[in-house]
Amino acid sequence: MGFKSRRERARKEHEFTSKSERDSMNESIQNERERREKKEKAKAVLETQMSYKIVKLFSRLMDDWCLDPIIGLLLPEAGDTITAVMSIPYLYVSAFKIKSYALTVVILKNILLDYLIGLIPIAGDILDFFIRSYNANYKLIVGYVEDDKETIRKVKKSALLSTLAVVFLFAAAFLTLYAWYRLLAWIFG
């Protein structure tokens, strides 16, 4: 017993490791290098693709240059639908390029929430100046592409709740559009 503990203490103090421990450590280091190289290659390919460039451009146009709220103000109700449709590239990149269900459902939740908030007359358009869903979705995509552990952890943690929110938000969007349809049908009759 004393011999074993002295050996372990000497290993720790002098950082001695057995051949199997060194081999295991070297294998882990090599595996991590290969994983990072594979991730870097995938990132380089993704960044050259048109869909990724569109996502980056829409993030700048819609949120940085405030086109999302401006379109909503100029074209009430229809403008919010147009800007929601312009979010499709985000879904495409997350679902088909990055291939992450968790990321896709969180992005879809953000899109639907932005859409429903934009449908609120006047207040929704004002809120669109402050709620930057295009930038948020772009940052999520970049976090996944750059293998940001914190972004990935947050997305995976909120995936189940986002799935439930998407179901609720789809129902709310449908009911809102149906109510507008019924109101217009009643008015114009």
Side-chain angles (χ1 to χ4, degrees):
M1 178 89 174
F3 178 73
K4 188 175 183 181
S5 64
R6 279 187 294 166
R7 179 182 289 168
E8 289 173 1
R9 190 173 56 231
R11 270 190 189 161
K12 288 179 183 174
E13 288 175 6
H14 301 291
E15 297 182 22
F16 294 138
T17 57
S18 68
K19 180 176 177 356
S20 65
E21 289 173 325
R22 280 192 310 271
D23 290 345
S24 175
M25 198 168 27
N26 288 336
E27 183 181 343
S28 295
I29 290 169
Q30 181 61 30
N31 289 342
E32 179 61 17
R33 275 190 199 124
E34 289 171 3
R35 187 191 72 78
R36 286 185 182 179
E37 286 174 7
K38 183 179 176 184
K39 196 75 173 174
E40 285 299 316
K41 285 179 185 176
K43 177 184 171 187
V45 168
L46 181 64
E47 288 176 343
T48 63
Q49 294 180 343
M50 185 59 70
S51 56
Y52 185 80
K53 291 177 181 179
I54 289 171
V55 164
K56 188 175 183 178
L57 175 67
F58 281 2
S59 176
R60 294 199 63 211
L61 291 175
M62 301 306 284
D63 281 344
D64 295 347
W65 295 352
C66 297
L67 285 183
D68 182 18
I70 291 170
I71 292 170
L73 280 168
L74 294 176
L75 303 167
E77 311 314 325
D80 297 307
T81 303
I82 291 168
T83 59
V85 169
M86 291 177 71
S87 296
I88 290 174
Y90 292 85
L91 294 173
Y92 176 78
V93 169
S94 65
F96 297 107
K97 298 299 180 180
I98 298 174
K99 298 178 182 168
S100 169
Y101 170 79
L103 178 61
T104 303
V105 76
V106 170
I107 286 174
L108 183 58
K109 177 202 65 157
N110 291 346
I111 292 167
L112 289 171
L113 193 59
D114 182 56
Y115 176 67
L116 286 174
I117 289 171
L119 287 177
I120 301 169
I122 302 169
D125 297 318
I126 293 169
L127 287 172
D128 266 344
F129 280 100
F130 302 103
I131 299 171
R132 310 247 177 197
S133 68
Y134 288 89
N135 281 343
N137 289 336
Y138 178 68
K139 286 177 185 175
L140 291 175
I141 288 171
V142 169
Y144 258 75
V145 169
E146 293 181 352
D147 205 21
D148 178 27
K149 301 295 183 206
E150 182 63 23
T151 299
I152 294 169
R153 186 190 64 75
K154 274 195 317 191
V155 167
K156 287 184 176 180
K157 185 177 178 182
S158 66
L160 177 61
L161 188 59
S162 293
T163 301
L164 297 173
V166 163
V167 171
F168 172 77
L169 291 171
F170 261 124
F174 174 77
L175 292 174
T176 302
L177 291 173
Y178 182 73
W180 276 107
Y181 167 76
R182 296 293 296 181
L183 178 65
L184 292 173
W186 179 72
I187 291 172
F188 297 110

